[in-house]
Structures are given as C-alpha cells and as structure tokens.
C-alpha cells in the first residue's frame, strides 16, 4: 500500500499571503487529521475530517481551514499568513476508529517571511 | 479530558545499553496508548500500541512498552540501543470513553544514542 503523501514538501510564502496544502491518505482510510509541529509548541492538532465532515477541531484561529473530498483526499488552507505560521504541517490518515493508529505523511515545511 | 506527559526532553544512552523513554497519562476511562518515532525531516512513524490485554507490548525495531495502570505509565523500552535509534519519540493517548477520536500527544523526547 502506498503511504500518506503530502504536497508540496516545501513552501516559502510572504506574510499576508494564503497557502493551500494537500494530503492523500492511505487507500481505504476515511479519516484525515492535520497537525502543526513547531520546536516550541510541539505537535498541535488542527482538525480532523472523516467522510468529508469535520469531526474534530483544535484551538486555531479561523484563518486555518480544511476540507475533505469524496476520495478522502484533504486540503488545508491558511489565509493571511503570519510569521508564526512557519512550521511543519503534518497530515495523518487512519481508519477513524479510536483503537487504530495514525499514519503520517512526510509533512510540508512552510516558511513565512 | 485526556493528557500525556513525557517528563524528559532528552535521554542519552550509550550504544548497546538498555534504554527507557518515559510516558505518563491521564484519562477518565480506559486508555488507548501509542508510541511514535520521528526521524529528522520526516513524519511520525507508528511503533506500537496498547489497547487491551497483555501489559507488555512489542513493536517495531525491537521496541517494547509496558502498560502500568496503577502508575498510569506507558514507558518505551529497548534492551540494547543502536545509534540509529536516535530520534524524537512521542507518546500519545486516547480515552476509550471520552468520545474524542483524536489522540493527545506528549511534547516528545529526544533520544540520543552515543557510539
């Protein structure tokens, strides 16, 4: 089975711009979660989509949004970028059941200048 | 609410020696516990999990973890460390009855294995 893929792997954006990140989960997985990883804050949960519906949401401002398509692929959008949004954004897919582990993609490294 | 603590930011061990990376958790109901490893510039990789049953769980790359309900701990162990085990390790917990499908992750422990 192919793993979780994320595109692009690296991005450099200017403050005030917006960005869209993409994630393709493992075939058959219906849950896609997004995390922001920074050295200071660790791994922070952004949101989770299950069967095209947002099922859980973390404590991030409304500038962070996402969606999931019928083929389970997911996109995450960040509008009006701030310097503090520079981070590694990780996507994780799973079956969506609590006892099952998540499979992470390699991440998208976003740098905001 | 669910939470997890990894009390050590960094663990240093000599190659060939046993290693332990500590994790304690707090949940209202029964816990589902996970360990993940992250190598530089990579995503997290699943190592092992405890759902129910035997308290000693074996996982990938020779790692194992012991679930201790009375101490609410789930420490990661390996009998003989390798330099290639050097990485960032994350413990995660889900509450079986909490209604949330999202795990809570610890802040991570950097394991450094010296040759």
């Amino acid at each position: 089975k192919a793993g979780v893929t994320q595109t692009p792997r690296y991005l450099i954006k200017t403050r005030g711009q917006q960005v869209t990140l993409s994630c393709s989960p493992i075939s058959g997985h219906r849950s896609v979660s997004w995390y922001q990883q920074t050295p200071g804050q660790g791994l922070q949960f952004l949101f989770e989509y299950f069967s095209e519906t947002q099922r859980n949401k973390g404590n991030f401002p409304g500038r962070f949004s996402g969606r999931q398509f019928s083929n389970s692929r997911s996109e995450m959008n960040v509008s009006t970028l701030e310097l503090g949004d520079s981070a590694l954004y990780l996507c994780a897919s799973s079956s969506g059941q609590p006892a099952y582990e998540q499979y992470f993609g390699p991440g998208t490294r976003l740098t905001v200048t | 609410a669910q939470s997890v603590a990894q009390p050590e930011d960094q663990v240093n061990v000599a190659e060939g020696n046993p290693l332990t990376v500590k994790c304690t958790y707090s949940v209202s109901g029964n816990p589902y516990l996970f360990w993940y490893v992250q190598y530089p510039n990579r995503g997290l990789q699943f190592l092992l999990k405890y759902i129910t049953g035997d308290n000693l769980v074996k996982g990938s790359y020779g790692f194992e973890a012991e679930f201790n309900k009375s101490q609410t701990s789930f420490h990661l162990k390996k009998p003989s460390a390798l330099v290639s085990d050097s990485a960032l390790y994350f413990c995660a917990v889900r509450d079986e009855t909490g209604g949330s499908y999202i795990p809570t992750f610890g802040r991570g422990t950097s394991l450094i294995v010296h040759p």
Side-chain angles (χ1 to χ4, degrees), chain A residues 70-91:
Chain A
S70 57
N71 62 358
S72 292
R73 190 177 70 84
S74 177
E75 288 182 346
M76 188 190 99
N77 184 275
V78 187
S79 62
T80 320
L81 284 166
E82 299 177 359
L83 295 178
D85 296 333
S86 295
L88 180 67
Y89 290 88
L90 294 168
C91 164

Side-chain angles (χ1 to χ4, degrees), chain B:
Chain B
Q2 58 191 32
S3 66
V4 61
Q6 293 180 241
E8 301 155 318
D9 289 337
Q10 184 172 304
V11 169
N12 292 277
V13 65
E15 187 173 33
N17 283 1
L19 69 87
T20 299
V21 182
K22 296 180 180 178
C23 171
T24 58
Y25 66 90
S26 175
V27 294
S28 301
N30 292 320
Y32 294 148
L33 293 154
F34 305 82
W35 274 103
Y36 293 86
V37 60
Q38 184 178 33
Y39 297 100
N41 300 313
R42 303 278 295 276
L44 279 67
Q45 295 178 35
F46 169 72
L47 274 180
L48 50 79
K49 67 181 178 183
Y50 172 82
I51 302 302
T52 187
D54 194 349
N55 289 344
L56 185 63
V57 178
K58 294 188 183 297
S60 307
Y61 312 120
F63 284 94
E64 58 189 29
E66 186 167 12
F67 171 63
N68 188 317
K69 187 171 184 177
S70 63
Q71 297 186 6
T72 61
S73 67
F74 189 56
H75 301 331
L76 181 69
K77 300 181 180 184
K78 188 174 182 181
S80 179
L82 300 172
V83 172
S84 57
D85 292 330
S86 298
L88 190 58
Y89 290 80
F90 290 92
C91 180
V93 67
R94 274 199 193 109
D95 188 336
E96 179 194 35
T97 58
S100 170
Y101 293 89
I102 300 304
T104 297
F105 284 82
R107 295 183 61 83
T109 298
S110 178
L111 173 66
I112 299 175
V113 181
H114 302 277

